Amino acid sequence: MHSLIAVEIVLRDQIPDAGTKPLFQLIKQGADACILTARQAEYLDYGRKIRNGMVHGQTMHAAMPPAMAVPMVTTSFAIVSELCADLSQRRLSILTEG
């Protein structure tokens, strides 16, 4: 779940007017704005549903079979890496222009 939290933090930073919107809206906005691919949005939405089940007491444990966990964690790390790299490049160009 920590990887999903990391993605949520980065999406809030990258999506204009993210504010306190729920994660499902951030995922949808990210996909609509081509920040996320359809496949990434699908994995994140799946992880979001598991997280919500845990938070609301519908799921009793966080264990997932590796076949499900690996794509979700891999996708989360890829998204964070890509979005943070893009942000770093934008900040660098602002610094070098000024």
Side-chain angles (χ1 to χ4, degrees), residues 14-92:
Q14 296 284 319
I15 294 175
D17 302 321
T20 58
K21 291 178 182 173
L23 182 56
F24 82 90
Q25 285 183 342
L26 295 178
I27 293 169
K28 183 176 179 344
Q29 272 188 267
D32 291 347
C34 296
I35 293 172
L36 301 171
T37 67
R39 185 91 167 152
Q40 289 171 331
E42 178 185 341
Y43 280 129
L44 291 174
D45 194 52
Y46 177 74
R48 178 192 65 80
K49 290 175 184 175
I50 292 171
R51 182 204 65 179
N52 287 353
M54 290 171 44
V55 169
H56 298 292
Q58 299 160 343
T59 303
M60 300 309 287
H61 57 83
M64 275 194 271
M68 287 194 273
V70 170
M72 190 172 70
V73 172
T74 302
T75 299
S76 296
F77 279 110
I79 292 167
V80 169
S81 297
E82 291 167 13
L83 293 179
C84 286
D86 290 346
L87 181 60
S88 294
Q89 287 298 324
R90 285 197 303 270
R91 287 181 178 159
L92 181 61

